[in-house]
């Protein structure tokens, strides 16, 4: 018990700590997701704000550049109005262009034809023929018009240029100044990329991927499709796998920007797993320490006391009411010991009276059982056609086995052996009910099969205790030896033919009685010859086990039955002796019941003799031998002798007579046959002391005289 208790305690604590470990793992996993979201969302949102700020600064700078470019274009137009000498020399026009800080300076007439430019690549061109300058044709035609265009490619170099155009003040036409935006674009791009680069790496192996207007700005070191990146959900952590590596991702958008942060899941989990391993290791040590401490305390203060109480209770339940429980380790055990001792004292006080009542009840049950079982043998001393013997040894005070036999008619013997699945008083009451049902059905002349069905139905009605009955019932017609029988339960019958060995009686067994009203039983039939023996037994015979728990078994039973036994009672006694030898002092656990029947049939005898009427030598010997063989009374024998002698004296002395004497237990028939002369000796004879005398004559057989004597 202690070992079982410690094992269960270990399993209980292990389950608790396992649940704690699972809870910690789930908590850390949730914490990892929250931590990854906080870290990546913070960086992504900060970078988005920075990029938006850059866009705002760029917009302000663009507006400032456009305003400055227009001011310079107006200033150049004003200078030319005041002094148009720069138009005569290319060097002066170039100097004016340089003075304005421009890369190009273009002058047109009212039709939009370029009349002068610095540098000179635009000379001879029309504004509407140049894709980059076509929009400025309006400045040549409309006075006070002005226009500024950004990021226009120059015709010559293809560089990104910003043009500002105004209507000329000195003549019809337009003045255009072109400024290179390369420096502005370079400064803005370098600054943005520099700031982005500071946030591209997330941790040691993370990535930051940027989109602007749906176009990929930075791919980082990941080789993946743009569509897959754009399909990632916004503003929440999700998982994404690239080249077999799992990443946590976080994506956000602001204006035209979309930023995606990716961090390897392994890198995020690494520190958390270290923390989890540390916690689990500490929990293991804590678990071991707690288990040892709890086991020690429970063993010291609980288990040892419980075992002492259990041992005392076991002795008390075994019947030792003098046992005292003395466990005083704790107040609880002291109180428990006191309560148990008080209960035992009460039981001892009332126990003697209850035991006396119980013994009286058991004695009553024993008397009921002993009175019900036939115990006087020979059972039917006046019947010589059969002999039987039975014995029942109950394992308890009142057993569950019983047997019975009775003569419901002059030519019928009924017998049975039964085993009830209960002992004690319930078995005694159930036995009386069963015997009453069986005897009542048998005396009505019911066949064994019908008897079994009726008894089973009656036992099933009102059945609440679950008791059932195993039964072998046989009905023997004494005059012919015909035996009809049924078996409900395990087959437990052997048959021995005269001079042979015992073998199992062939039969079809049905269900035990008292369980199901639907049970069916088949009837067996055989004819016993003179000298045949039938032995029945209950389960306790074959299951009687010795100290090594080896059962007596059917083979030992068969060997014991095959030992020579002069009388049928010897069969039972020898079998019981064999069981006792096998048990060798071990008490039986099941009731032992054995029933044996020997069929003798009616006794017959027959004898023939030939003599002359004047010298009846051998007549007395014939009558003595044959009538004594059937146990005829001496008076009947003498009367038959005197009657036969009287008949012979009435015949001629030289008459040859054939005599035949046939006897059974109830009568003797003496037949006298002679051929010559034809004489009826009964004429003139006095009344003979026999039941009847008949005479007849035929040509074929001659004279025939018959004496019929009834035997008492």
């Amino acid at each position: 018990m202690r070992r079982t208790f410690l094992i269960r305690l270990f399993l209980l604590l292990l389950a608790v700590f396992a649940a704690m470990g699972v809870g910690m793992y789930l908590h850390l996993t949730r914490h990892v997701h929250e931590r990854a979201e906080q870290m990546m969302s913070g960086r992504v949102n900060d970078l988005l704000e920075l990029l938006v700020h850059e866009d705002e600064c760029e917009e302000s700078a663009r507006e400032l550049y456009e305003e400055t470019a227009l001011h310079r274009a107006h200033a150049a137009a004003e200078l030319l109005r005041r002094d148009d000498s720069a138009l005569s020399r290319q060097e002066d026009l170039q100097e004016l262009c340089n003075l304005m800080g421009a890369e190009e300076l273009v002058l047109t007439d009212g039709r939009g034809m370029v009349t002068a430019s610095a540098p000179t690549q635009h000379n001879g061109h029309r504004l509407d023929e140049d894709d980059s300058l076509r929009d400025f044709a309006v400045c040549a035609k409309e006075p006070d018009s002005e226009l500024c265009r950004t990021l226009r490619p120059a015709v010559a170099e293809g560089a990104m240029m910003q043009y500002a155009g105004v209507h000329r003040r000195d003549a019809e036409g337009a003045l255009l100044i072109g400024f290179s935006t390369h420096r502005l674009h370079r400064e803005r791009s370098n600054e943005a990329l520099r700031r982005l680069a500071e946030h591209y790496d997330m941790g040691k192996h993370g990535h930051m991927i940027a989109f602007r207007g749906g176009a990929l700005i930075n791919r980082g070191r990941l080789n993946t499709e743009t569509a897959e990146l754009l399909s990632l959900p916004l503003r929440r952590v999700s998982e994404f796998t690239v080249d077999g590596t799992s990443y946590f991702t976080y994506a956000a958008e602001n204006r035209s920007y979309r930023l995606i942060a990716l961090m390897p899941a392994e890198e995020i989990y690494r520190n958390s797993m270290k923390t989890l391993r540390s916690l689990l290791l500490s929990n293991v040590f804590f678990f071991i320490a707690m288990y040892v401490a709890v086991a020690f305390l429970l063993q010291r203060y609980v288990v040892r006391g419980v075992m002492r109480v259990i041992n005392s209770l076991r002795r008390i339940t075994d019947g030792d009411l003098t046992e005292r429980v003395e466990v005083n380790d704790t107040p609880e055990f002291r109180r428990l010991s006191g309560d148990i001792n008080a209960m035992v004292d009460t039981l001892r006080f009332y126990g003697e009276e209850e035991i006396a009542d119980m013994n009286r009840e058991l004695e009553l049950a024993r008397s009921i059982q002993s009175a019900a079982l036939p115990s006087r043998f020979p059972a039917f001393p006046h019947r010589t056609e059969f002999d039987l013997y039975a014995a029942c040894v109950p394992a308890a005070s009142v057993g569950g086995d019983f047997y019975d036999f009775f003569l419901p008619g002059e030519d019928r013997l009924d017998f049975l052996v039964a085993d009830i699945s209960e002992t004690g008083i319930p078995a005694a009451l159930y036995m009386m009910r069963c015997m009453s049902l069986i005897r009542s059905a048998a005396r009505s002349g019911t066949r064994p099969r019908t008897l079994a069905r009726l008894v089973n139905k009656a036992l099933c009605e009102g059945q609440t205790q679950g008791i059932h009955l195993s039964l072998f019932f046989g009905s023997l017609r004494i005059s012919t030896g015909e035996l009809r029988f049924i078996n409900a339960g395990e087959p437990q019958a052997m048959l021995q033919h005269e001079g042979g060995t015992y073998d199992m009686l062939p039969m079809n067994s049905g269900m035990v009685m008292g369980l199901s009203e639907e049970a069916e039983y088949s009837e067996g039939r055989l004819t016993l010859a003179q000298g045949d023996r039938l032995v029945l037994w209950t389960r306790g015979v074959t299951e009687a086990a010795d100290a090594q728990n080896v059962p007596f078994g059917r083979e030992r039973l068969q060997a014991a039955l095959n030992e020579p036994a002069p009388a049928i009672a010897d069969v039972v006694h020898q079998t019981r002796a064999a069981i006792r030898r096998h048990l060798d002092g071990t008490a039986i656990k099941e009731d032992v019941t054995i029933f044996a029947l020997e069929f003798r049939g009616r006794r017959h005898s027959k004898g023939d003799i030939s003599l002359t009427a004047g010298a009846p030598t051998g007549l007395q010997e014939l009558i003595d031998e044959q009538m004594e063989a059937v146990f005829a009374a001496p008076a009947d024998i003498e009367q038959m002798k005197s009657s036969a002698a009287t008949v012979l004296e009435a015949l001629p002395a030289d008459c040859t007579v054939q005599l035949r004497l046939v006897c059974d237990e109830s009568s003797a028939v003496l037949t006298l046959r002679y051929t010559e002369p034809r004489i009826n000796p009964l004429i003139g004879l006095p009344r003979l002391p026999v039941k009847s005398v008949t005479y007849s004559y035929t040509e074929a057989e001659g004279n025939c005289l018959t004496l019929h004597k009834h035997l008492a």
Side-chain angles (χ1 to χ4, degrees):
M1 177 180 176
R2 296 179 182 178
R3 180 179 180 183
T4 303
F5 174 78
L6 293 176
I7 292 174
R8 291 179 178 176
L9 176 63
F10 175 82
L11 295 176
L12 176 62
L13 293 178
L14 181 62
V16 172
F17 278 91
M20 292 174 58
V22 173
M24 286 189 295
Y25 174 79
L26 295 176
H27 174 73
L28 286 176
T29 302
R30 185 171 60 254
H31 176 70
V32 164
H33 281 262
E34 293 174 354
R35 180 167 168 266
E37 183 174 4
Q38 291 174 359
M39 181 174 62
M40 291 191 292
S41 64
R43 293 189 180 185
V44 168
N45 291 330
D46 289 346
L47 190 54
L48 278 174
E49 291 179 2
L50 179 61
L51 291 174
V52 169
H53 180 69
E54 284 289 331
D55 281 352
E56 292 175 351
C57 291
E58 179 187 358
E59 182 67 20
S60 299
R62 186 185 63 78
E63 292 176 355
L64 181 60
Y65 268 81
E66 288 183 356
E67 184 178 354
T68 302
L70 287 173
H71 282 307
R72 292 183 182 183
H74 283 294
E78 183 62 25
L79 288 176
L80 287 176
R81 185 185 67 81
R82 294 179 180 181
D83 183 9
D84 59 356
S85 60
L87 297 174
S88 59
R89 296 180 59 191
Q90 184 66 30
E91 294 81 359
D92 295 337
L93 187 60
Q94 184 63 49
E95 184 179 356
L96 177 61
C97 178
N98 295 338
L99 180 63
M100 294 295 104
E103 300 292 332
E104 295 179 4
L105 192 150
V106 178
L107 296 172
T108 69
D109 57 14
R111 296 175 299 165
M113 179 68 70
V114 178
T115 58
S117 66
T120 60
Q121 71 267 21
H122 294 292
N123 290 342
H125 291 82
R126 291 176 61 89
L127 292 179
D128 54 4
E129 295 177 352
D130 191 336
D131 291 338
S132 63
L133 302 177
R134 182 177 293 112
D135 293 341
F136 291 92
V138 66
C139 296
K141 299 176 181 179
E142 298 180 4
D144 298 326
S145 60
E146 61 181 20
L147 182 64
C148 186
R149 289 287 185 269
T150 59
L151 301 179
R152 296 287 184 174
V155 175
E157 300 177 0
M160 299 303 295
M161 300 288 291
Q162 182 181 40
Y163 290 95
V166 298
H167 191 77
R168 291 177 61 176
R169 297 181 182 178
D170 60 326
E172 292 294 325
L175 183 147
L176 283 70
I177 297 180
F179 301 92
S180 174
T181 61
H182 178 69
R183 181 188 304 173
L184 175 63
H185 178 68
R186 184 178 65 250
E187 290 177 355
R188 176 193 171 278
S189 299
N190 288 344
E191 182 65 16
L193 290 175
R194 182 182 65 81
R195 294 179 181 179
L196 278 172
E198 294 177 356
H199 302 84
Y200 272 174
D201 292 334
M202 302 292 294
K204 292 184 178 180
H205 303 286
H207 305 274
M208 181 74 78
I209 300 176
F211 291 87
R212 185 177 186 183
L216 183 63
I217 298 176
N218 174 50
R219 183 184 293 273
R221 296 184 296 275
L222 291 179
N223 182 20
T224 183
E225 296 294 334
T226 301
E228 295 180 357
L229 295 173
L230 291 175
S231 64
L232 293 174
L234 298 175
R235 300 291 178 181
R236 65 183 179 89
V237 174
S238 61
E239 293 189 13
F240 185 67
T241 302
V242 180
D243 296 333
T245 302
S246 180
Y247 290 88
F248 283 115
T249 67
Y250 185 86
E253 286 185 351
N254 194 342
R255 295 190 179 179
S256 62
Y257 292 101
R258 174 190 281 253
L259 295 184
I260 302 174
L262 297 96
M263 287 194 68
E266 180 182 1
E267 182 178 337
I268 296 177
Y269 275 115
R270 187 177 298 120
N271 293 333
S272 298
M273 290 300 104
K274 290 181 180 178
T275 303
L276 180 61
R277 283 193 292 270
S278 300
L279 290 174
L280 290 177
L281 184 61
S282 63
N283 281 341
V284 169
F285 287 113
F286 180 63
F287 165 73
I288 295 174
M290 177 176 286
Y291 174 73
V292 172
V294 173
F296 172 77
L297 292 175
L298 290 175
Q299 183 77 13
R300 174 66 178 80
Y301 293 104
V302 179
V303 177
R304 188 169 64 180
V306 170
M307 292 302 299
R308 291 168 60 189
V309 171
I310 290 175
N311 292 332
S312 295
L313 288 175
R314 183 179 294 113
R315 286 189 286 272
I316 292 171
T317 55
D318 288 340
D320 185 8
L321 297 181
T322 62
E323 174 69 17
R324 307 294 293 177
V325 181
E326 301 293 345
V327 182
N328 302 313
D329 297 341
T330 63
E332 291 78 9
F333 277 118
R334 280 196 297 273
R335 182 175 178 180
L336 178 62
S337 299
D339 293 342
I340 294 176
N341 291 331
M343 179 186 68
V344 173
D345 292 340
T346 303
L347 288 175
R348 188 166 57 247
F349 178 76
Y350 291 105
E352 295 180 359
E353 183 177 354
E354 293 181 359
I355 291 173
D357 292 340
M358 185 181 299
N359 288 334
R360 284 193 293 270
E361 292 179 359
L362 289 176
E363 185 62 31
L364 176 61
R366 278 195 295 269
S367 64
I368 293 174
Q369 187 177 38
S370 60
L373 295 181
S375 58
R376 296 183 62 181
F377 298 98
F380 307 102
H382 63 288
R383 302 303 296 263
T384 59
E385 300 94 332
F386 60 88
D387 192 13
L388 57 85
Y389 194 86
C392 177
V393 181
S397 298
V398 181
D401 287 2
F402 68 93
Y403 63 85
D404 196 9
F405 47 83
F406 47 89
L407 294 170
E410 191 65 26
D411 193 32
R412 180 176 164 189
L413 170 67
D414 289 350
F415 56 92
L416 62 100
V417 171
D419 184 356
I420 300 173
S421 64
E422 187 59 83
T423 58
I425 296 176
L429 299 177
Y430 197 80
M431 179 193 73
M432 296 301 297
R433 183 185 180 197
C434 293
M435 293 181 70
S436 175
L437 290 172
I438 294 172
R439 285 194 174 219
S440 175
R443 286 196 171 95
S444 65
T446 304
R447 291 177 54 182
R449 178 180 178 183
T450 306
L451 179 143
R453 187 169 62 252
L454 294 175
V455 172
N456 176 65
K457 183 178 180 181
L459 293 177
C460 290
E461 292 177 355
Q463 172 68 277
T464 58
Q465 298 177 335
I467 304 177
H468 59 266
L469 175 73
S470 298
L471 173 69
F472 182 99
F473 176 84
S475 181
L476 175 67
R477 184 173 294 278
I478 301 172
S479 59
T480 62
E482 180 186 25
L483 175 65
R484 295 185 178 185
F485 60 90
I486 59 97
N487 188 76
E490 182 181 352
Q492 293 169 160
M494 284 191 185
L495 176 66
Q496 179 198 46
H497 294 295
E498 185 176 13
T501 59
Y502 280 91
D503 294 305
M504 289 298 296
L505 179 66
M507 66 176 71
N508 294 322
S509 297
M511 182 186 298
V512 294
M513 296 183 175
L515 293 182
S516 173
E517 294 187 15
E518 305 300 326
E520 292 292 336
Y521 303 93
S522 58
E523 185 176 286
R525 183 183 299 182
L526 61 90
T527 299
L528 299 179
Q530 289 185 357
D532 288 354
R533 289 179 174 180
L534 179 67
V535 176
L536 312 176
W537 68 92
T538 57
R539 183 178 57 185
V541 173
T542 54
E543 294 187 2
D546 60 9
Q548 287 73 37
N549 203 29
V550 177
F552 185 65
R554 188 176 292 175
E555 293 181 358
R556 290 186 178 88
L557 173 61
Q558 193 169 13
L561 293 176
N562 286 324
E563 292 292 330
I568 196 65
D570 297 330
V571 175
V572 177
H573 296 322
Q574 290 177 183
T575 304
R576 291 181 59 186
I579 296 174
R580 285 195 296 270
R581 289 193 300 271
H582 176 74
L583 294 176
D584 193 20
T586 304
I588 59 175
K589 300 177 182 179
E590 296 280 349
D591 302 340
V592 172
T593 301
I594 307 173
F595 175 91
L597 170 69
E598 179 180 6
F599 180 69
R600 296 173 178 172
R602 297 184 183 274
R603 289 181 175 86
H604 297 272
S605 64
K606 181 174 65 174
D608 297 281
I609 190 174
S610 178
L611 50 76
T612 59
T617 305
L619 174 63
Q620 293 190 4
E621 290 79 0
L622 172 67
I623 295 175
D624 286 339
E625 180 180 355
Q626 302 305 323
M627 294 188 69
E628 287 178 357
V630 296
F631 301 101
D636 292 334
I637 296 175
E638 292 302 324
Q639 290 176 358
M640 180 61 79
K641 288 180 182 179
S642 63
S643 298
T646 301
V647 171
L648 290 176
E649 290 176 357
L651 294 175
D654 59 350
C655 180
T656 301
V657 182
Q658 301 290 333
L659 288 88
R660 167 170 290 188
L661 179 60
V662 178
C663 303
D664 59 23
E665 295 175 349
S666 60
S667 63
V669 178
L670 179 63
T671 304
L672 297 86
R673 296 183 181 275
Y674 53 95
T675 57
E676 295 293 344
R678 180 178 179 179
I679 300 174
N680 182 359
L682 299 179
I683 300 174
L685 288 180
R687 181 177 179 82
L688 300 177
V690 295
K691 180 180 180 182
S692 63
V693 181
T694 59
Y695 170 80
S696 64
Y697 177 82
T698 62
E699 292 292 339
E701 297 183 1
N703 302 280
C704 178
L705 189 142
T706 303
L707 302 178
H708 189 279
K709 173 66 177 175
H710 178 73
L711 302 181

